[in-house]
Amino acid sequence: MDTTLTGWRPLLRRQWPIAGALGFMLLVEFSTAAGGTRSDVLGLAWLADAIIALIAVVAPRRPVESALLASMTMIGLTAGLRYTHVNHWDAVAGMGPVETAAGMALIATVVRQASPNKATTAVAGIVFAGILAGVIRPGGNLFDNLASVAIPGMLLLLSIGTGVYFRARDGDRRRVVTAAVSSAQQDERLALARELHDVVAHHVTGIVVQAQAAQVVAEQDPLAAQRVLPYIERAGVDALTAMRSLVSSLRDTHAVGEVGASDAATTDPVADIRKVVDDAAAAGLPVYLTLDLPRTLSVELARSVLRVVQESLTNTQKHAVGLTAVRVAVSTADEMVHVRVTDDGKGSSAAPAGGSGGYGLVGMRERVELLGGRFSAGPRLSGGWEVHAWLPVREATR
């Protein structure tokens, strides 16, 4: 059943053409029948047609029940007309135009919305009521000639075909909506995963690395733990701030698709990159920064540049040993922001701090490619590791 039609306003917006057509036909029928004999019977017949028309208008709310109720109303009208020997529509034998149009609308609705088994039952009820009207009402001639059978049959097929067409169209629309929702949910999950990995894991990795280093040198230098405590505290505060920002973004219904958009760490890309590099230097990395970047980058581009630098330094902390220099270069040329992070360390055979999920490079590549850029990462011929990213300024600021 189409759940979008559970309210009256959506129902009337969809059904007003049917309501208008049936209402006009009822007015024509009433004006035609008003001067006939047995006005009491004709008035009751017109009332029955009005009830059938009303049922057809509201049928999308409960299509099967509406079809069966309309069928019983038609059968009751047939019995009354047979008993009184009055034909309420002199020009037509059997079902009148209002009943025929309402029956067609009901068949189309029930085929569109109900399950095949229930739709078959409901359609059979309407067809039975129509056959009964064509056979036993005054002037009935349903099986007198081929035309009297062919026209109702064509109208029946037209109704069923209309219902099948709209059912298929509704199915296509549901599949498109479902695919769009699934895609949006997947994008949200990936965005959240990237933010958690690049922001929170960056700070936590620094805490773990510093704690491990302090443990190693604790016997030779008892004051080593005290010296790293300020860094650990600062990294913990930064991690909590990043988590609160992510939670705020997720709870804000206006920030859907912009996970991390409320993160204030992208308002000044130059200052943000310097802070990340200074934090890495405070953690013990021999890092050198070359920065030539405008302060007017879009939020998306600034965030992506910052996260590439941040994740590259995090990977260096986790994986590289024997470092003498880590060089970070961020510059703008030819409508492109170029990010390059290189180190001269050696890969460690031991497991990195906290393990490795293998999502760092994947996340960086996704960020860059989402903005139409290019990304590469791998070992250097002269030793060490390098990360390259090119992000288009023009595409990102549109």
Side-chain angles (χ1 to χ4, degrees):
M1 182 174 177
D2 192 347
T3 56
T4 61
L5 296 176
T6 55
W8 287 107
R9 289 184 179 179
L11 174 67
L12 293 178
R13 280 198 298 268
R14 170 171 144 175
Q15 294 292 91
W16 70 263
I18 295 176
L22 292 176
F24 176 76
M25 295 172 69
L26 280 169
L27 289 176
V28 173
E29 178 180 310
F30 180 77
S31 62
T32 303
T37 60
R38 298 295 304 275
S39 59
D40 55 338
V41 176
L42 296 176
L44 291 175
W46 183 88
L47 180 60
D49 282 352
I51 293 173
I52 294 170
L54 179 61
I55 293 173
V57 172
V58 302
R61 289 176 62 91
R62 301 183 71 88
V64 176
E65 293 85 346
S66 297
L68 295 177
L69 179 60
S71 301
M72 289 187 289
T73 305
M74 294 175 187
I75 293 173
L77 178 58
T78 297
L81 295 175
R82 177 67 176 180
Y83 178 77
T84 58
H85 301 284
V86 174
N87 186 1
H88 72 311
W89 189 264
D90 293 334
V92 179
M95 292 176 61
V98 174
E99 290 177 278
T100 302
M104 292 177 65
L106 284 163
I107 290 173
T109 299
V110 77
V111 171
R112 178 181 185 177
Q113 295 183 216
S115 64
N117 290 337
K118 291 183 178 180
T120 301
T121 301
V123 171
I126 296 175
V127 171
F128 174 76
I131 293 175
L132 200 63
V135 172
I136 71 173
R137 284 188 186 182
N141 62 349
L142 180 60
F143 297 105
D144 288 352
N145 53 65
L146 182 61
S148 64
V149 175
I151 294 176
M154 291 175 59
L155 295 178
L156 174 63
L157 292 177
L158 177 62
S159 304
I160 295 175
T162 301
V164 170
Y165 167 76
F166 281 109
R167 186 185 186 93
R169 196 183 69 170
D170 292 343
D172 291 340
R173 184 167 57 245
R174 282 193 296 269
R175 284 189 288 272
V176 170
V177 171
T178 300
V181 170
S182 298
S183 177
Q185 291 174 338
Q186 179 66 13
D187 290 342
E188 285 294 307
R189 287 193 291 268
L190 291 175
L192 177 60
R194 284 193 296 267
E195 289 296 317
L196 285 172
H197 185 280
D198 295 351
V199 181
V200 181
H202 167 77
H203 298 302
V204 175
T205 296
I207 293 172
V208 174
V209 169
Q210 288 299 304
Q212 289 178 337
Q215 288 178 340
V216 170
V217 300
E219 295 182 359
Q220 292 80 18
D221 185 1
L223 299 179
Q226 295 183 2
R227 286 197 296 271
V228 301
L229 283 178
Y231 171 82
I232 292 176
E233 180 184 9
R234 186 168 64 253
V237 170
D238 290 342
L240 286 174
T241 301
M243 284 293 294
R244 292 191 184 102
S245 177
L246 286 174
V247 171
S248 176
S249 296
L250 290 172
R251 292 177 67 88
D252 184 1
T253 57
H254 299 290
V256 176
E258 295 291 337
V259 174
S262 62
D263 187 359
T266 57
T267 56
D268 186 347
V270 173
D272 296 335
I273 292 174
R274 288 190 185 279
K275 182 180 184 302
V276 168
V277 171
D278 290 343
D279 289 345
L285 279 181
V287 58
Y288 303 91
L289 175 64
T290 302
L291 189 59
D292 180 16
L293 197 65
R295 297 178 182 269
T296 57
L297 298 178
S298 69
V299 173
E300 293 83 1
L301 178 57
R303 184 185 298 114
S304 294
V305 171
L306 176 66
R307 299 306 185 228
V308 168
V309 173
Q310 196 173 48
E311 177 60 21
S312 298
L313 294 177
T314 300
N315 285 344
T316 301
Q317 278 186 306
K318 292 174 65 174
H319 299 285
V321 296
L323 283 171
T324 61
V326 182
R327 303 189 184 278
V328 178
V330 183
S331 59
T332 305
D334 299 327
E335 300 292 335
M336 301 285 287
V337 175
H338 179 210
V339 182
R340 185 184 184 195
V341 182
T342 60
D343 66 65
D344 59 357
K346 298 178 181 179
S348 173
S349 58
S356 177
Y359 299 116
L361 295 178
V362 173
M364 286 192 286
R365 184 180 300 278
E366 288 176 348
R367 286 185 181 276
V368 172
E369 292 181 350
L370 281 173
L371 296 179
R374 293 179 290 120
F375 177 84
S376 66
R380 304 168 63 197
L381 293 177
S382 57
W385 189 268
E386 65 180 358
V387 173
H388 279 185
W390 296 263
L391 297 102
V393 176
R394 183 176 302 170
E395 289 292 332
T397 55
R398 283 181 181 173

